[in-house]
Amino acid sequence: MAVNLSKNGAALTAAYEEVVDGKSDTNWVLFTYEGNNNDIRLAEKGAGGLEEMVEELNSGKVMYAFCRVQDPNSGLPKYVLINWTGEGVKDSRKGLCANHVSAMANFLKGAHVTVNARAEEDVEPDAILDKVAKASGANFNFHKPTQGYRDAPRGPVGSVYRKINAVEEIQQTKKDDFWGQAQRDEEVRQREENQRAEQERQRLERERREMEEKQAKERERKAKERAQQIEQEK
C-alpha cells in the first residue's frame, strides 16, 4: 500500500519548510507512521542539529529524518535525509515501508546526502558530516582539480585511509542489499497476496454458481411436483 502524506499534510509541509527556511531555528524534523497504518505524522522537530535528532530515533520504528547541516567545506547549508528502519521492526513491516522511500524522498526534496540507517553506528553525526563534506568536495574538485589534489589523502598505497574506505564501501553495499532485498520481498508478498485474492474470488464465484444451480434445480423440482399435483386434482 502507498504511503499517505495527505492526512497530516499541512503539519508535514509546515515542518519541512521550517527546516529549509534559513531564517528558522528549526534545523531538523522527524516523521514516522501512525501506528501500523501508512499515514505519516510529525514525530519531533528541533534546533539542536544532528546530535539532538539522532537521539530521537526509535529502534522499534520506521522513521524519516530531514536535517539542515553546515557543509564543513564551504560553510553553506546542506540537507541530509535519513531513512531509518530500527532493528526491532518486523520484517513484514520493513518490506512494506521499503516501497515508501522514493515517495518520502520526493516529499523531502533537496537532500544533498541520503543515509539508509538501521543502527546507531549508521547515524553518527561525525560520519554523516564526513559524507556531506565528501559530497560537496566531489563537486568542488570537479571545478577546481588543484584543490582536489591538495585535499587528497596522503600516504602510501594500502594505508589505513584506504582500508577504512574499503570497509565503508562494504557496509554501504550491505545496506543497499538490505533495501534491495526488502523491495524484492515486498514484490513477492504483493504477488502472493494478489494470487490469494484471485483464488478467493474464484472460490466465491464457484460457490455462487453452485448455489444458483442448486436453487434452480429446487425450483424445477417444486414446479414438477406442483404440476403433478394439479394433474392429479383434475
Side-chain angles (χ1 to χ4, degrees):
M1 295 179 63
V3 66
N4 183 5
L5 292 164
S6 59
K7 180 179 179 181
N8 303 306
L12 303 181
T13 301
Y16 165 75
E17 289 179 347
E18 283 187 55
V19 178
V20 298
D21 181 2
K23 298 179 182 179
S24 170
D25 290 334
T26 300
N27 54 25
W28 66 268
V29 64
L30 192 59
F31 302 109
T32 190
Y33 296 86
E34 291 186 348
N36 287 322
N37 60 36
N38 295 323
D39 301 333
I40 296 294
R41 66 174 177 84
L42 174 63
E44 295 286 348
K45 63 180 180 178
L50 285 169
E51 291 81 1
E52 181 180 62
M53 183 190 71
V54 297
E55 292 296 324
E56 299 298 327
L57 295 172
N58 189 317
S59 63
K61 293 183 179 181
V62 176
M63 311 182 87
Y64 304 93
F66 193 77
C67 185
R68 183 177 73 238
V69 301
Q70 189 177 57
D71 186 340
N73 289 333
S74 64
L76 296 173
K78 294 294 175 71
Y79 300 96
V80 177
L81 170 62
I82 299 176
N83 299 313
W84 169 265
T85 302
E87 294 180 322
V89 178
K90 294 181 179 179
D91 290 341
S92 58
R93 188 64 178 165
K94 289 178 183 178
L96 177 64
C97 295
N99 283 337
H100 300 163
V101 172
S102 60
M104 293 303 299
N106 289 334
F107 173 65
L108 300 170
K109 54 186 178 294
H112 298 90
V113 171
T114 299
V115 179
N116 294 323
R118 301 172 63 187
E120 291 182 3
E121 57 266 25
D122 298 329
V123 291
E124 292 181 356
D126 289 343
I128 292 176
L129 288 175
D130 185 52
K131 290 182 179 181
V132 173
K134 288 179 179 178
S136 64
N139 295 332
F140 186 65
N141 295 341
F142 178 80
H143 296 289
K144 296 184 179 181
T146 55
Q147 290 290 336
Y149 176 79
R150 187 177 300 123
D151 293 339
R154 289 161 175 74
V157 175
S159 65
V160 174
Y161 178 86
R162 289 183 178 273
K163 289 181 180 178
I164 292 175
N165 276 350
V167 171
E168 289 177 352
E169 289 177 3
I170 291 172
Q171 291 176 339
Q172 185 60 46
T173 299
K174 289 181 178 179
K175 292 173 191 172
D176 292 342
D177 289 345
F178 163 75
W179 287 100
Q181 184 61 47
Q183 180 81 23
R184 290 189 292 273
D185 290 345
E186 175 60 15
E187 291 174 355
V188 171
R189 187 195 67 78
Q190 288 182 343
R191 283 198 299 271
E192 292 177 346
E193 184 174 307
N194 291 338
Q195 290 175 354
R196 286 194 295 270
E198 177 61 20
Q199 291 171 354
E200 179 66 11
R201 187 193 66 78
Q202 293 177 359
R203 184 185 67 80
L204 293 174
E205 178 65 18
R206 186 168 57 252
E207 290 180 353
R208 183 187 65 80
R209 288 197 303 268
E210 291 174 352
M211 179 62 69
E212 288 179 350
E213 290 175 1
K214 183 178 180 180
Q215 290 174 345
K217 289 180 180 179
E218 182 65 16
R219 286 195 298 270
E220 185 179 352
R221 184 186 65 79
K222 289 183 177 179
K224 287 181 178 179
E225 289 180 352
R226 180 61 178 164
Q228 291 174 355
Q229 184 178 1
I230 294 174
E231 186 65 25
Q232 290 173 357
E233 289 177 353
K234 288 181 179 179

